[in-house]
């Protein structure tokens, strides 16, 4: 066994290789098995790296993990207990890849040795994950230096640009937007944090071309006392604005939460960034897990109504899902604040796991595109049905992984904009990654709700919604269509598409129908004083076979896994005869006169 001090020279390839039988391994002491079970799965929480891991159902899987806790375990002895050596090595590699397990000496590592092992793991993880970088625009900085720093990142980073006043940096924001559109620099996500929104139309267009949202700091909880300069102009031009607030324990009061919701809706802010300070909530430190969970649940209650709420001083979902490196170490916090942070992981990770399911879906654009092939897709092939032209602004409601947004991108051109609104942040983040990898620069991906679009009245040229059965099943269809009509300019169009039926072509007498009432539901939702149906189109395609496809790519899985039970290739089709999906698209136009009630 090599001494610990030699491990710092080990390269990433050897870290991913098969460990020898004489090696000793141990779970990081910060790894915790969560009590919550989600669909028979168990979850692991890593408090140091702030990432979760899924332990799928299976005899002995959780026992295998717990065997590695407390003391170093000899791999030769461990392997001797199991017949499936390949599965054992897969689980060891997964734990090691995400920093959950370390190669140690025979004795339990000291605090210093554990710190060293974590640095090795962090170095290994950093080669595969995004980083978050912070740039102070108020400090002397050139566009050349900024471009170089961004391009030095192995993967397009999450970028936070800080400044006191947006208007002071109009030129550099414009240049950065130009470089992004040219493909010279790429950012997964860009946030500009400022205390002053004032600026002209050219500045706001630069923010749009940069794909940036604006985070406005210094806003009092639960609502500002007076109008905010520049906010109306920002939202009118479809710039996403989030406001930073530091709530007190009044967040537990439903009436106080109602005040912030009322203001946020009326101001059309995209969302809230909340800074939670447990030491200000409970100065004496007399609070426990149930108190912490009460605050987190209050945040979720706001999120359920507003659609986009984040806790800015706790790890974001992309960190918890193992896509982005955490920007802070829990070891730098007080024990009380660290306990608050650990409680957040225990609370948030099961919720993120619940966003997954085993239904066929997709994990990459190429797979998603098979669900509705580009050559068959009605509206991207006929943008004239939505009256789209270069420079148009479109909102894609319930945008998912961004298939519709990406396909409509050419129709609006580089001067246009497609805003994709999706309830699940993990889907929006993944859609943003897909678009960034393929250098789409006219797409914005925003968490939000179909029944509460964070856009002002008459601010977009068209609105579209495709194939969201849950919206109709939950009875939200009418409120969604009403919102789509509200945000579309007079003379603009909205479109809703849904699958009517799946036909087994060898047996047409036995069609599969998800919702018998779907046509009536959609038709009734279009009964609106400002809408006139101008077209109804029936179209469809032959359903692709999954034979030969990797099953993992057709599953909704976002969190790292101890082992992936779906890492198999489909050998046969559950429905061997040829099938066809038949879709309905209803298109309506908003009246040129009168305002929406």
């Amino acid at each position: 066994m090599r001494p610990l001090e030699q491990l710092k020279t080990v390269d990433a390839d050897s870290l991913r290789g098969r460990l020898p039988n004489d090696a000793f391994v141990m779970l990081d002491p910060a790894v915790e098995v969560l009590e919550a079970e989600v669909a028979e799965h168990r979850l692991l929480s890593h408090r140091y790296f702030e990432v979760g891991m899924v332990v799928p159902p299976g005899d002995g899987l959780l026992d295998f993990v717990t065997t590695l806790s407390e003391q170093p375990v000899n791999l030769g002895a461990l392997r001797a207990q199991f017949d499936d050596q390949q599965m054992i090595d897969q689980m060891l590699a997964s734990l090691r890849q995400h920093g959950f397990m370390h190669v140690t000496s025979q004795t339990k590592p000291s605090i210093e040795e554990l710190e060293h092992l974590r640095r090795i793991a962090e170095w290994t993880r950093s080669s595969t994950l995004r980083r978050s970088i912070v740039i102070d625009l108020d400090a002397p900085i050139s566009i050349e230096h900024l471009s170089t720093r961004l391009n030095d990142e192995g993967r397009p980073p999450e970028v936070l640009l800080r400044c006191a006043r947006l208007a002071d940096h109009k030129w550099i924001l414009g240049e950065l937007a130009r470089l992004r559109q040219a493909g010279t620099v790429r950012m997964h996500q860009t946030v500009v944090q400022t205390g002053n929104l004032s600026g002209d139309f050219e500045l706001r267009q630069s923010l749009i071309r940069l794909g940036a949202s604006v985070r406005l700091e210094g806003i009092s909880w639960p609502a500002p006392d007076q109008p905010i300069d520049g906010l109306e102009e920002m939202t009118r031009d479809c710039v996403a604005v989030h406001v930073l607030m530091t709530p007190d324990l009044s967040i537990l009061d439903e009436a106080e939460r109602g005040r912030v919701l009322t203001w946020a809706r009326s101001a059309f802010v995209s969302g809230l960034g909340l800074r939670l300070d447990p030491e200000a909530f409970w100065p004496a430190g007399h609070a426990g897990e149930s108190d912490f969970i009460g605050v987190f649940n209050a945040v979720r209650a706001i999120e359920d109504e507003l659609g986009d709420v984040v806790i800015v001083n706790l790890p974001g979902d992309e960190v918890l899902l193992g896509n982005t490196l955490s920007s802070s170490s829990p070891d730098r916090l007080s024990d009380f604040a660290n306990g608050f942070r650990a409680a957040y992981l225990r609370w948030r990770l099961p919720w993120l796991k619940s966003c997954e399911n085993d239904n066929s879906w997709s994990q990459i654009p190429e797979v998603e595109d098979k669900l509705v092939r580009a050559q068959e897709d009605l509206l991207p092939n006929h943008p004239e049905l939505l009256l789209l032209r270069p420079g148009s602004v479109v909102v894609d409601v319930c945008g998912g992984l961004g298939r519709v947004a990406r396909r409509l991108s050419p129709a609006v051109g580089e001067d246009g904009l497609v805003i994709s609104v999706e309830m699940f942040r993990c889907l929006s983040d993944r859609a943003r990654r897909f678009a960034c990898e393929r250098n789409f620069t006219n797409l914005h991906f925003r968490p939000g709700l179909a029944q509460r679009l964070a856009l002002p009245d008459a601010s977009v040229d068209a609105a579209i919604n495709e194939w969201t059965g849950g919206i109709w099943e939950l009875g939200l269809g009418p409120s969604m269509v009403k919102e789509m009509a509200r945000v579309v300019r007079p003379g603009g169009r909205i479109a809703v598409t849904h699958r009517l039926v799946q036909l087994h072509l060898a047996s047409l007498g036995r069609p599969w129908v998800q919702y018998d009432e779907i046509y009536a539901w959609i038709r009734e939702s279009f009964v609106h004083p400002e809408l006139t149906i101008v077209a109804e189109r029936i179209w469809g395609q032959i359903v692709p076979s999954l034979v030969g496809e990797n099953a993992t790519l057709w599953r909704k899985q976002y969190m790292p896994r101890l082992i992936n039970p779906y890492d198999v290739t489909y050998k046969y089709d559950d429905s061997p005869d040829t099938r066809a999906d038949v879709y309905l698209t209803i298109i309506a136009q908003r009246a040129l006169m009168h305002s929406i009630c």
Side-chain angles (χ1 to χ4, degrees):
M1 179 66 186
R2 290 167 294 179
L4 288 175
E5 59 267 18
Q6 293 181 9
L7 290 175
K8 61 185 176 184
T9 63
V10 178
D11 59 53
D13 288 337
S14 66
L15 280 171
R16 287 190 286 267
R18 188 178 192 273
L19 294 169
N21 277 337
D22 63 350
F24 283 82
V25 295
M26 178 182 170
L27 281 189
D28 190 297
V31 174
E32 175 185 2
V33 179
L34 301 187
E35 292 297 323
E37 287 192 28
V38 184
E40 299 182 347
H41 294 70
R42 297 301 294 270
L43 300 180
L44 305 180
S45 169
H46 198 316
R47 295 190 304 277
Y48 185 85
F49 289 124
E50 301 185 314
V51 64
M53 179 173 280
V54 175
V55 181
D59 292 339
L61 295 186
L62 188 60
D63 291 339
F64 174 82
V65 173
T66 55
T67 299
L68 303 176
S69 61
E70 301 298 336
Q71 294 292 333
V73 176
N74 174 258
L75 277 185
L78 180 66
R79 286 174 174 141
Q81 301 174 32
F82 300 92
D83 295 328
D84 192 339
Q85 298 296 297
Q86 183 179 2
M87 185 176 73
I88 295 303
D89 287 339
Q90 287 176 349
M91 292 192 292
L92 292 170
S94 181
L95 289 167
R96 199 175 178 207
Q97 174 189 352
H98 298 286
F100 282 68
M101 184 192 78
H102 306 296
V103 178
T104 71
S105 61
Q106 188 170 354
T107 58
K108 188 174 181 178
S110 65
I111 293 175
E112 293 76 16
E113 289 171 333
L114 180 61
E115 203 173 291
H116 176 64
L117 290 168
R118 285 171 172 168
R119 284 200 300 271
I120 295 171
E122 187 168 20
W123 172 74
T124 307
R125 296 178 79 239
S126 67
S127 65
T128 60
L129 304 184
R130 286 191 301 271
R131 289 203 312 139
S132 300
I133 61 175
V134 180
I135 296 171
D136 183 2
L137 293 179
D138 291 332
I141 188 170
S142 68
I143 188 65
E144 292 78 16
H145 174 77
L146 186 52
S147 175
T148 300
R149 182 167 181 190
L150 292 172
N151 286 325
D152 282 345
E153 294 294 322
R155 294 171 180 267
E158 296 181 357
V159 180
L160 175 62
L161 304 172
R162 284 179 168 160
C163 63
R165 290 170 41 85
L166 275 178
D168 294 341
H169 305 285
K170 174 181 173 180
W171 181 84
I172 200 166
L173 291 171
E175 285 298 292
L176 193 57
R178 181 183 61 80
L179 293 176
R180 177 179 182 262
Q181 283 199 296
T184 306
V185 297
R186 295 189 184 185
M187 294 83 80
H188 171 75
Q189 185 173 21
T190 304
V191 176
V192 184
Q193 184 167 316
T194 184
N196 188 300
L197 294 178
S198 297
D200 59 16
F201 177 76
E202 186 179 349
L203 171 62
R204 295 191 291 274
Q205 288 303 298
S206 292
L207 292 169
I208 291 289
R209 302 294 161 247
L210 187 55
S213 61
V214 177
R215 187 184 287 171
L216 180 63
E217 56 190 357
I219 304 301
S220 59
W221 168 269
D225 297 327
Q226 55 190 9
I228 298 171
D229 290 341
L231 177 58
E232 182 178 352
E233 292 80 4
M234 282 284 175
T235 58
R236 182 193 62 210
D237 288 338
C238 296
V239 178
V241 178
H242 298 76
V243 295
L244 275 178
M245 293 178 164
T246 303
D248 52 33
L249 278 181
S250 67
I251 193 173
L252 299 174
D253 183 80
E254 185 176 357
E256 287 295 280
R257 296 198 299 269
R259 288 182 62 194
V260 72
L261 286 168
T262 298
W263 174 79
R265 288 171 178 145
S266 65
F268 299 111
V269 297
S270 287
L272 304 179
L274 302 181
R275 184 177 286 109
L276 304 183
D277 185 352
E279 289 167 330
F281 287 160
W282 303 283
H286 298 152
E289 186 103 359
S290 61
D291 301 294
F292 302 156
I293 298 300
V295 170
F296 302 147
N297 284 337
V299 173
R300 182 178 292 169
I302 301 173
E303 184 180 19
D304 289 343
E305 295 291 327
L306 199 61
D308 187 2
V309 178
V310 296
I311 305 174
V312 295
N313 59 326
L314 290 176
D317 289 350
E318 286 292 274
V319 171
L320 299 180
L321 293 173
N323 297 321
T324 302
L325 287 171
S326 178
S327 57
S328 62
S329 169
D331 287 353
R332 301 190 186 103
L333 304 173
S334 68
D335 288 344
F336 188 65
N338 203 12
F340 186 75
R341 203 173 180 99
Y344 178 75
L345 267 64
R346 299 186 196 105
W347 174 82
R348 189 68 175 178
L349 286 172
W351 185 86
L352 288 174
K353 177 65 183 71
S354 72
C355 296
E356 302 180 351
N357 64 40
D358 294 337
N359 295 331
S360 292
W361 192 253
S362 60
Q363 299 299 307
I364 60 175
E366 291 81 1
V367 169
E368 187 189 24
D369 285 346
K370 282 193 171 186
L371 294 173
V372 180
R373 288 185 291 274
Q375 63 269 30
E376 309 291 350
D377 206 351
L378 178 68
L379 293 174
N381 288 308
H382 297 281
E384 69 278 3
L385 290 173
L386 291 173
L387 305 180
L388 297 185
R389 59 187 182 276
S392 292
V393 178
V394 183
V395 59
D396 174 23
V397 183
C398 305
L401 292 171
R403 172 181 57 82
V404 175
R406 291 191 299 272
R407 290 182 180 177
L408 289 177
S409 171
V412 302
E414 66 175 18
D415 292 327
L417 177 64
V418 183
I419 301 169
S420 179
V421 177
E422 166 57 45
M423 179 174 68
F424 291 111
R425 189 181 306 276
C426 46
L427 268 70
S428 283
D429 278 316
R430 188 162 290 201
R432 186 181 297 111
R433 187 185 80 202
F434 295 159
C436 180
E437 290 170 349
R438 289 153 183 80
N439 205 32
F440 285 93
T441 59
N442 60 355
L443 308 181
H444 285 194
F445 297 95
R446 305 178 184 178
L449 302 176
Q451 65 273 27
R452 185 259 159 187
L453 297 177
L455 294 165
D457 298 356
S459 56
V460 303
D461 298 297
I464 181 173
N465 166 263
E466 287 212 353
W467 200 0
T468 47
I471 287 288
W472 302 99
E473 187 175 26
L474 295 171
L476 297 175
S479 57
M480 176 189 71
V481 172
K482 184 177 180 181
E483 276 291 273
M484 293 167 72
R486 179 185 64 78
V487 302
V488 167
R489 297 183 180 106
R493 291 187 172 182
I494 73 171
V496 171
T497 296
H498 202 279
R499 182 174 60 177
L500 291 178
V501 64
Q502 186 172 92
L503 297 172
H504 289 256
L505 296 183
S507 180
L508 292 176
R510 293 187 287 110
W512 179 85
V513 177
Q514 186 178 21
Y515 304 112
D516 285 337
E517 308 93 339
I518 190 65
Y519 177 69
W521 288 346
I522 298 176
R523 250 317 195 131
E524 289 168 8
S525 72
F526 276 79
V527 177
H528 186 287
E530 296 292 330
L531 292 178
T532 300
I533 293 177
V534 295
E536 293 181 284
R537 295 287 187 271
I538 299 292
W539 55 284
Q541 66 168 18
I542 300 297
V543 178
S545 170
L546 296 187
V547 173
E549 297 282 346
N550 184 284
T552 297
L553 302 180
W554 294 83
R555 305 279 168 170
K556 291 174 68 175
Q557 297 183 147
Y558 308 118
M559 200 175 292
R561 282 166 152 64
L562 175 67
I563 193 169
N564 183 7
Y566 300 114
D567 190 16
V568 297
T569 300
Y570 286 116
K571 302 292 186 186
Y572 60 90
D573 199 324
D574 290 335
S575 301
D577 62 307
T578 303
R579 292 163 293 157
D581 281 335
V582 180
Y583 302 97
L584 165 73
T585 297
I586 298 181
I587 302 169
Q589 186 161 324
R590 181 180 167 182
L592 287 171
M593 302 296 292
H594 309 302
S595 60
I596 294 178
C597 298

